[in-house]
Coordinates of all heavy atoms in Angstrom, one line a residue:
L2 N 197.0 40.5 82.7 CA 197.6 41.5 83.6 C 198.8 40.9 84.4 O 199.8 41.5 84.7 CB 196.6 42.1 84.5 CG 196.9 43.5 85.1 CD1 197.4 44.5 84.0 CD2 195.8 44.0 85.9
L3 N 198.6 39.6 84.8 CA 199.7 39.0 85.6 C 200.9 38.8 84.7 O 202.0 39.0 85.2 CB 199.2 37.6 86.2 CG 198.2 37.7 87.3 CD1 197.7 36.3 87.7 CD2 198.7 38.5 88.5
D4 N 200.7 38.4 83.5 CA 201.9 38.3 82.6 C 202.6 39.6 82.4 O 203.8 39.7 82.4 CB 201.4 37.8 81.2 CG 201.0 36.3 81.3 OD1 201.5 35.6 82.2 OD2 200.2 35.9 80.4
A5 N 201.8 40.7 82.3 CA 202.4 42.0 82.2 C 203.2 42.4 83.4 O 204.3 42.9 83.3 CB 201.4 43.1 81.9
N6 N 202.7 42.0 84.6 CA 203.4 42.3 85.8 C 204.7 41.5 85.9 O 205.7 42.0 86.3 CB 202.5 41.9 87.0 CG 203.1 42.4 88.3 OD1 203.8 43.4 88.4 ND2 202.8 41.7 89.4
R7 N 204.7 40.2 85.5 CA 205.9 39.4 85.4 C 206.9 40.0 84.5 O 208.1 40.1 84.8 CB 205.6 38.0 85.0 CG 204.9 37.2 86.1 CD 204.7 35.8 85.7 NE 203.8 35.2 86.6 CZ 202.6 34.6 86.3 NH1 202.2 34.6 85.1 NH2 201.8 34.1 87.2
R8 N 206.4 40.5 83.3 CA 207.3 41.1 82.3 C 208.0 42.4 82.9 O 209.2 42.6 82.8 CB 206.6 41.4 81.0 CG 207.6 41.9 80.0 CD 206.9 42.1 78.6 NE 206.0 43.2 78.7 CZ 204.8 43.3 78.2 NH1 204.3 42.3 77.5 NH2 204.0 44.4 78.3
V9 N 207.2 43.2 83.6 CA 207.7 44.4 84.2 C 208.7 44.0 85.3 O 209.8 44.7 85.4 CB 206.6 45.2 84.8 CG1 207.1 46.3 85.7 CG2 205.7 45.8 83.7
S10 N 208.5 43.0 86.1 CA 209.4 42.5 87.1 C 210.7 42.1 86.4 O 211.8 42.5 87.0 CB 208.9 41.4 87.9 OG 207.7 41.8 88.6
R11 N 210.7 41.4 85.3 CA 211.9 41.1 84.6 C 212.6 42.3 84.1 O 213.9 42.4 84.1 CB 211.6 40.1 83.5 CG 211.4 38.7 83.9 CD 211.1 37.8 82.7 NE 209.9 38.3 82.2 CZ 208.9 37.5 81.7 NH1 209.2 36.2 81.6 NH2 207.8 37.9 81.2
E12 N 211.8 43.3 83.6 CA 212.4 44.5 83.1 C 213.1 45.3 84.3 O 214.2 45.9 84.1 CB 211.4 45.4 82.5 CG 210.9 44.9 81.1 CD 209.8 45.7 80.5 OE1 209.6 46.8 81.0 OE2 209.3 45.3 79.5
L13 N 212.5 45.2 85.5 CA 213.2 45.9 86.6 C 214.5 45.2 87.0 O 215.5 45.9 87.3 CB 212.2 45.8 87.8 CG 211.1 46.8 87.8 CD1 210.2 46.5 89.0 CD2 211.6 48.2 87.8
A14 N 214.5 43.9 86.9 CA 215.8 43.2 87.2 C 216.8 43.6 86.1 O 218.0 43.8 86.5 CB 215.5 41.7 87.2
R15 N 216.4 43.6 84.9 CA 217.4 44.1 83.8 C 217.8 45.5 84.1 O 219.0 45.8 83.9 CB 216.7 44.0 82.5 CG 216.9 42.6 81.8 CD 216.4 42.6 80.4 NE 215.3 41.7 80.4 CZ 214.1 41.9 79.8 NH1 214.0 43.0 79.1 NH2 213.2 41.1 79.9
A16 N 216.9 46.4 84.5 CA 217.2 47.8 84.7 C 218.3 47.9 85.8 O 219.2 48.7 85.8 CB 216.0 48.6 85.1
A17 N 218.1 47.1 86.9 CA 219.0 47.1 88.0 C 220.4 46.7 87.5 O 221.4 47.3 87.9 CB 218.5 46.2 89.1
C18 N 220.5 45.6 86.7 CA 221.8 45.2 86.2 C 222.4 46.2 85.3 O 223.6 46.5 85.4 CB 221.6 43.9 85.4 SG 221.2 42.5 86.5
V19 N 221.7 46.8 84.4 CA 222.2 47.8 83.5 C 222.6 49.0 84.3 O 223.7 49.6 84.1 CB 221.1 48.2 82.5 CG1 221.6 49.5 81.7 CG2 220.9 47.1 81.5
R20 N 221.8 49.4 85.3 CA 222.1 50.6 86.2 C 223.5 50.3 86.9 O 224.3 51.2 86.9 CB 221.0 50.7 87.1 CG 221.2 51.6 88.4 CD 221.9 52.8 88.2 NE 222.2 53.5 89.5 CZ 223.3 54.0 89.8 NH1 224.3 53.9 89.0 NH2 223.4 54.7 90.9
R21 N 223.7 49.2 87.4 CA 224.9 48.9 88.1 C 226.1 48.9 87.2 O 227.2 49.3 87.6 CB 224.8 47.6 88.9 CG 223.9 47.8 90.1 CD 223.8 46.5 90.9 NE 222.9 46.7 92.0 CZ 221.8 46.0 92.2 NH1 221.5 45.0 91.4 NH2 221.0 46.2 93.2
C22 N 226.0 48.4 86.0 CA 227.1 48.2 85.1 C 227.4 49.5 84.3 O 228.5 49.9 84.2 CB 226.8 47.1 84.1 SG 226.7 45.5 84.9
L23 N 226.4 50.2 83.9 CA 226.6 51.4 83.0 C 226.0 52.7 83.5 O 226.2 53.7 82.8 CB 225.9 51.1 81.6 CG 226.4 49.8 80.9 CD1 225.5 49.6 79.7 CD2 227.8 49.9 80.5
C24 N 225.4 52.7 84.7 CA 224.8 53.9 85.2 C 223.8 54.5 84.2 O 223.9 55.7 83.9 CB 225.9 54.9 85.6 SG 227.0 54.3 86.9
T25 N 222.9 53.7 83.7 CA 221.9 54.2 82.8 C 220.5 54.0 83.2 O 219.6 53.8 82.4 CB 222.1 53.5 81.4 OG1 222.0 52.1 81.6 CG2 223.5 53.8 80.8
H26 N 220.3 54.1 84.5 CA 219.0 53.8 85.0 C 217.9 54.8 84.6 O 216.8 54.4 84.3 CB 219.0 53.7 86.6 CG 219.6 54.9 87.3 ND1 220.9 55.2 87.2 CD2 219.0 55.8 88.0 CE1 221.1 56.2 87.9 NE2 220.0 56.7 88.4
Y27 N 218.2 56.0 84.4 CA 217.2 57.0 84.0 C 216.9 56.8 82.5 O 215.8 57.0 82.1 CB 217.7 58.4 84.3 CG 217.5 58.8 85.7 CD1 218.6 59.0 86.6 CD2 216.2 58.9 86.3 CE1 218.5 59.3 87.9 CE2 216.1 59.2 87.6 CZ 217.2 59.4 88.4 OH 217.0 59.7 89.7
A28 N 217.9 56.5 81.7 CA 217.7 56.2 80.3 C 216.8 55.1 80.1 O 215.9 55.1 79.3 CB 219.0 56.0 79.6
Y29 N 216.9 54.0 80.9 CA 216.1 52.8 80.9 C 214.6 53.2 81.1 O 213.7 52.6 80.6 CB 216.6 51.8 81.8 CG 216.0 50.4 81.6 CD1 216.6 49.6 80.7 CD2 215.0 50.0 82.3 CE1 216.1 48.3 80.4 CE2 214.4 48.7 82.1 CZ 215.0 47.9 81.2 OH 214.5 46.7 80.9
L30 N 214.4 54.2 82.0 CA 213.1 54.6 82.3 C 212.6 55.7 81.4 O 211.5 56.2 81.6 CB 213.0 55.1 83.8 CG 213.3 54.0 84.8 CD1 213.4 54.6 86.2 CD2 212.3 52.9 84.8
G31 N 213.4 56.1 80.4 CA 212.9 57.1 79.4 C 213.1 58.5 79.9 O 212.6 59.4 79.3
R32 N 213.9 58.7 80.9 CA 214.2 60.1 81.4 C 215.6 60.5 80.9 O 216.5 60.6 81.7 CB 214.0 60.1 82.9 CG 212.6 59.8 83.3 CD 212.5 59.9 84.8 NE 211.1 59.8 85.1 CZ 210.5 60.3 86.2 NH1 211.3 60.8 87.1 NH2 209.3 60.1 86.4
W33 N 215.7 60.8 79.7 CA 217.0 61.1 79.0 C 217.6 62.4 79.5 O 218.8 62.5 79.6 CB 216.9 61.1 77.5 CG 216.8 59.8 77.0 CD1 215.6 59.1 76.7 CD2 217.9 58.9 76.8 NE1 216.0 57.8 76.3 CE2 217.3 57.6 76.4 CE3 219.2 59.0 77.0 CZ2 218.1 56.5 76.1 CZ3 220.0 57.9 76.7 CH2 219.5 56.7 76.3
G34 N 216.8 63.4 79.9 CA 217.3 64.6 80.4 C 218.1 64.4 81.7 O 219.3 64.9 81.9
L35 N 217.6 63.7 82.6 CA 218.3 63.4 83.9 C 219.5 62.5 83.6 O 220.5 62.6 84.3 CB 217.3 62.7 84.9 CG 216.3 63.5 85.5 CD1 215.3 62.7 86.4 CD2 217.0 64.6 86.4
Q36 N 219.3 61.6 82.6 CA 220.4 60.7 82.3 C 221.6 61.4 81.8 O 222.8 61.2 82.3 CB 220.0 59.6 81.3 CG 221.1 58.6 81.0 CD 221.5 57.8 82.3 OE1 220.6 57.2 82.9 NE2 222.7 57.9 82.6
I37 N 221.4 62.3 80.9 CA 222.5 63.1 80.3 C 223.1 64.0 81.4 O 224.4 64.2 81.5 CB 222.0 63.9 79.1 CG1 221.7 62.9 78.0 CG2 223.1 65.0 78.7 CD1 221.0 63.5 76.8
A38 N 222.3 64.6 82.2 CA 222.8 65.5 83.3 C 223.7 64.6 84.3 O 224.7 65.1 84.7 CB 221.6 66.1 84.1
G39 N 223.2 63.4 84.5 CA 224.0 62.5 85.4 C 225.4 62.2 84.8 O 226.4 62.2 85.5
W40 N 225.4 61.9 83.5 CA 226.7 61.6 82.8 C 227.6 62.8 82.8 O 228.8 62.7 83.1 CB 226.4 61.2 81.4 CG 225.9 59.8 81.2 CD1 226.1 58.7 82.1 CD2 225.2 59.3 80.2 NE1 225.5 57.6 81.6 CE2 224.9 57.9 80.4 CE3 224.7 59.8 79.0 CZ2 224.2 57.1 79.5 CZ3 223.9 59.0 78.1 CH2 223.7 57.7 78.4
L41 N 227.0 64.0 82.5 CA 227.9 65.2 82.5 C 228.4 65.6 83.8 O 229.5 66.2 83.9 CB 227.1 66.4 81.9 CG 226.7 66.2 80.4 CD1 225.8 67.4 80.0 CD2 227.9 66.1 79.5
T42 N 227.7 65.3 84.9 CA 228.2 65.7 86.2 C 228.8 64.5 87.0 O 229.0 64.6 88.2 CB 227.0 66.3 87.0 OG1 226.0 65.3 87.2 CG2 226.5 67.5 86.4
V43 N 229.0 63.4 86.3 CA 229.5 62.2 86.9 C 228.7 61.8 88.1 O 229.2 61.7 89.2 CB 231.0 62.3 87.2 CG1 231.6 61.0 87.6 CG2 231.8 62.9 86.1
G44 N 227.4 61.7 87.8 CA 226.5 61.3 88.9 C 226.3 62.4 89.9 O 226.0 62.1 91.1
G45 N 226.4 63.7 89.5 CA 226.2 64.8 90.5 C 227.3 64.7 91.6 O 227.0 65.1 92.7
G46 N 228.5 64.3 91.2 CA 229.5 64.2 92.2 C 229.2 63.1 93.2 O 229.6 63.2 94.4
T47 N 228.6 62.1 92.8 CA 228.1 60.9 93.6 C 227.0 61.2 94.6 O 226.5 60.4 95.3 CB 229.3 60.2 94.3 OG1 229.8 61.0 95.3 CG2 230.3 59.7 93.3
I48 N 226.6 62.5 94.6 CA 225.5 62.8 95.5 C 224.2 62.2 95.0 O 223.4 61.7 95.8 CB 225.3 64.4 95.7 CG1 226.5 64.9 96.5 CG2 224.0 64.7 96.4 CD1 226.6 66.4 96.5
W49 N 224.0 62.2 93.7 CA 222.8 61.6 93.1 C 222.7 60.2 93.5 O 221.6 59.6 93.6 CB 222.8 61.7 91.6 CG 222.4 63.0 91.0 CD1 222.2 64.2 91.7 CD2 222.1 63.3 89.7 NE1 221.8 65.2 90.9 CE2 221.7 64.7 89.6 CE3 222.1 62.6 88.5 CZ2 221.3 65.3 88.4 CZ3 221.7 63.2 87.3 CH2 221.3 64.5 87.3
W50 N 223.8 59.5 93.5 CA 223.8 58.1 93.9 C 223.1 57.9 95.3 O 222.3 57.0 95.4 CB 225.3 57.5 93.9 CG 225.3 56.1 94.3 CD1 225.1 55.0 93.5 CD2 225.6 55.6 95.6 NE1 225.3 53.9 94.2 CE2 225.5 54.2 95.5 CE3 225.8 56.1 96.8 CZ2 225.7 53.3 96.5 CZ3 226.0 55.3 97.9 CH2 226.0 53.9 97.8
L51 N 223.5 58.8 96.2 CA 222.9 58.7 97.5 C 221.4 59.0 97.5 O 220.6 58.4 98.1 CB 223.6 59.6 98.5 CG 225.0 59.2 98.8 CD1 225.7 60.3 99.6 CD2 225.1 57.9 99.6
V52 N 221.1 60.0 96.7 CA 219.6 60.4 96.6 C 218.8 59.3 95.9 O 217.7 59.0 96.3 CB 219.5 61.8 95.8 CG1 218.1 62.1 95.5 CG2 220.2 62.9 96.6
D53 N 219.4 58.7 94.9 CA 218.7 57.6 94.1 C 218.4 56.4 94.9 O 217.5 55.7 94.7 CB 219.5 57.2 92.9 CG 219.4 58.2 91.8 OD1 218.5 59.1 91.8 OD2 220.1 58.1 90.8
I54 N 219.2 56.2 96.0 CA 218.9 55.0 96.8 C 217.5 55.1 97.4 O 216.8 54.1 97.5 CB 219.9 54.9 98.0 CG1 221.3 54.5 97.5 CG2 219.4 54.0 99.1 CD1 222.4 54.5 98.5
F55 N 217.1 56.3 97.7 CA 215.7 56.6 98.3 C 214.7 56.9 97.2 O 213.5 56.6 97.3 CB 215.8 57.7 99.3 CG 216.7 57.3 100.4 CD1 218.0 57.9 100.5 CD2 216.4 56.4 101.4 CE1 218.9 57.6 101.5 CE2 217.2 56.1 102.4 CZ 218.5 56.7 102.5
R56 N 215.1 57.6 96.1 CA 214.2 58.1 95.1 C 213.9 57.1 94.0 O 212.7 57.1 93.6 CB 214.9 59.3 94.5 CG 214.0 60.1 93.6 CD 214.7 61.4 93.1 NE 213.9 62.1 92.1 CZ 213.8 61.8 90.8 NH1 214.6 60.8 90.3 NH2 213.0 62.5 90.0
L57 N 214.8 56.3 93.6 CA 214.6 55.4 92.5 C 213.4 54.4 92.7 O 212.7 54.2 91.7 CB 215.9 54.7 92.1 CG 216.0 54.2 90.7 CD1 215.7 55.3 89.7 CD2 217.3 53.6 90.5
P58 N 213.2 53.8 93.8 CA 212.1 52.9 94.0 C 210.7 53.6 93.6 O 209.9 53.0 92.9 CB 212.1 52.5 95.4 CG 213.5 52.6 95.8 CD 214.0 53.8 95.1
G59 N 210.5 54.8 94.0 CA 209.3 55.5 93.7 C 209.2 55.8 92.2 O 208.1 55.8 91.6
V60 N 210.4 56.2 91.6 CA 210.4 56.5 90.1 C 210.0 55.2 89.4 O 209.2 55.2 88.4 CB 211.8 57.0 89.7 CG1 211.9 57.1 88.2 CG2 212.0 58.4 90.3
V61 N 210.6 54.1 89.8 CA 210.3 52.8 89.1 C 208.9 52.4 89.3 O 208.2 51.9 88.4 CB 211.3 51.7 89.6 CG1 210.9 50.3 89.1 CG2 212.7 52.0 89.2
R62 N 208.3 52.6 90.5 CA 206.9 52.3 90.8 C 206.0 53.1 89.9 O 205.0 52.6 89.3 CB 206.6 52.6 92.3 CG 205.3 52.0 92.7 CD 205.2 52.1 94.2 NE 206.3 51.6 95.0 CZ 207.1 52.4 95.7 NH1 206.9 53.7 95.8 NH2 208.1 51.9 96.4
Q63 N 206.3 54.4 89.7 CA 205.5 55.3 88.9 C 205.6 54.8 87.4 O 204.6 54.8 86.7 CB 206.1 56.7 89.0 CG 205.3 57.7 88.1 CD 205.9 59.1 88.3 OE1 207.0 59.3 88.7 NE2 205.1 60.1 87.8
Y64 N 206.8 54.4 87.0 CA 206.9 53.9 85.6 C 206.1 52.6 85.4 O 205.5 52.4 84.4 CB 208.4 53.6 85.3 CG 208.7 53.1 84.0 CD1 208.6 53.9 82.8 CD2 209.0 51.7 83.8 CE1 208.9 53.4 81.6 CE2 209.2 51.2 82.5 CZ 209.2 52.0 81.4 OH 209.4 51.5 80.2
N65 N 206.2 51.7 86.4 CA 205.4 50.5 86.3 C 203.9 50.7 86.3 O 203.2 50.1 85.6 CB 205.7 49.6 87.5 CG 207.1 49.0 87.5 OD1 207.7 49.0 86.4 ND2 207.6 48.5 88.6
D66 N 203.4 51.7 87.0 CA 202.0 52.1 87.0 C 201.6 52.6 85.6 O 200.6 52.2 85.1 CB 201.7 53.2 88.0 CG 201.8 52.7 89.4 OD1 201.7 51.4 89.6 OD2 201.8 53.5 90.4
W67 N 202.5 53.4 85.0 CA 202.3 53.9 83.6 C 202.2 52.7 82.6 O 201.3 52.7 81.8 CB 203.3 54.9 83.2 CG 203.2 55.4 81.8 CD1 202.3 56.3 81.4 CD2 203.8 54.9 80.7 NE1 202.4 56.5 80.1 CE2 203.3 55.6 79.6 CE3 204.7 53.9 80.5 CZ2 203.7 55.3 78.3 CZ3 205.2 53.6 79.2 CH2 204.7 54.4 78.1
V68 N 203.1 51.8 82.8 CA 203.2 50.6 81.9 C 201.9 49.8 82.0 O 201.3 49.4 81.0 CB 204.4 49.7 82.1 CG1 204.3 48.4 81.3 CG2 205.7 50.5 81.6
A69 N 201.5 49.5 83.3 CA 200.3 48.7 83.5 C 199.0 49.4 83.0 O 198.2 48.8 82.3 CB 200.1 48.5 85.0
L70 N 198.9 50.7 83.1 CA 197.8 51.5 82.6 C 197.8 51.4 81.1 O 196.7 51.2 80.5 CB 197.8 52.9 83.1 CG 196.7 53.8 82.6 CD1 195.4 53.3 83.2 CD2 196.9 55.3 83.1
D71 N 199.0 51.6 80.5 CA 199.1 51.5 79.0 C 198.6 50.2 78.5 O 197.9 50.1 77.5 CB 200.5 51.8 78.6 CG 200.6 51.9 77.1 OD1 199.8 52.7 76.5 OD2 201.6 51.3 76.5
L72 N 199.1 49.1 79.1 CA 198.7 47.8 78.7 C 197.2 47.6 78.9 O 196.5 46.9 78.0 CB 199.4 46.7 79.5 CG 200.9 46.5 79.2 CD1 201.6 45.6 80.2 CD2 201.1 46.0 77.8
L73 N 196.6 48.1 80.0 CA 195.2 47.9 80.2 C 194.4 48.7 79.1 O 193.4 48.2 78.6 CB 194.8 48.5 81.6 CG 193.4 48.3 82.0 CD1 193.0 46.8 82.0 CD2 193.2 48.9 83.4
Q74 N 194.8 49.9 78.7 CA 194.2 50.6 77.7 C 194.3 49.9 76.4 O 193.3 49.9 75.6 CB 194.8 52.0 77.6 CG 194.4 52.9 78.7 CD 195.2 54.2 78.7 OE1 196.2 54.4 78.0 NE2 194.7 55.2 79.5
Q75 N 195.4 49.3 76.1 CA 195.6 48.5 74.8 C 194.6 47.3 74.8 O 194.0 47.0 73.8 CB 197.0 48.1 74.7 CG 198.0 49.2 74.3 CD 199.4 48.6 74.2 OE1 199.6 47.4 74.0 NE2 200.4 49.5 74.4
M76 N 194.5 46.6 75.9 CA 193.7 45.5 76.0 C 192.2 45.9 75.8 O 191.4 45.2 75.2 CB 193.9 44.7 77.3 CG 195.2 44.0 77.4 SD 195.5 43.0 78.8 CE 194.6 43.7 80.1
T77 N 191.8 47.0 76.4 CA 190.4 47.5 76.4 C 190.1 47.9 74.9 O 189.0 47.6 74.4 CB 190.3 48.7 77.3 OG1 190.6 48.3 78.6 CG2 188.8 49.2 77.2
A78 N 191.1 48.5 74.2 CA 190.9 48.9 72.8 C 190.7 47.7 71.9 O 189.9 47.7 71.0 CB 192.0 49.8 72.4
R79 N 191.5 46.7 72.2 CA 191.4 45.5 71.4 C 190.1 44.8 71.6 O 189.5 44.2 70.7 CB 192.6 44.6 71.6 CG 193.9 45.1 71.1 CD 195.0 44.2 71.3 NE 196.3 44.8 70.8 CZ 197.5 44.5 71.2 NH1 197.6 43.5 72.1 NH2 198.5 45.0 70.7
A80 N 189.7 44.7 72.8 CA 188.4 44.1 73.2 C 187.3 44.8 72.5 O 186.3 44.2 72.0 CB 188.2 44.0 74.7
A81 N 187.3 46.1 72.5 CA 186.3 46.9 71.9 C 186.3 46.7 70.3 O 185.2 46.7 69.7 CB 186.4 48.4 72.2
A82 N 187.5 46.6 69.8 CA 187.6 46.4 68.3 C 187.0 45.0 67.9 O 186.4 44.9 66.8 CB 189.0 46.5 67.9
V83 N 187.2 44.0 68.8 CA 186.7 42.7 68.5 C 185.2 42.6 68.6 O 184.5 42.0 67.9 CB 187.4 41.6 69.4 CG1 186.8 40.3 69.2 CG2 188.9 41.6 69.1
A84 N 184.6 43.3 69.6 CA 183.2 43.3 69.9 C 182.4 44.0 68.9 O 182.4 44.5 67.9 CB 182.9 43.8 71.2

């Protein structure tokens, strides 16, 4: 689980770099509807940028929780298959 947490931390760092360079932070988190809306409205007239300063940490935390739960379920399934 610690390795998964480290991997997620590296993914977050990559997401931040991609976000800053290409404005693709929602795509990186799998939220393509919001990503396309952001592109079409040029970031909501930059208002989204201000909102994302406060909103994005929670979105990323939720995504990380989902990834951790998915990994735990995979490990549990593999352990049950071996036993």
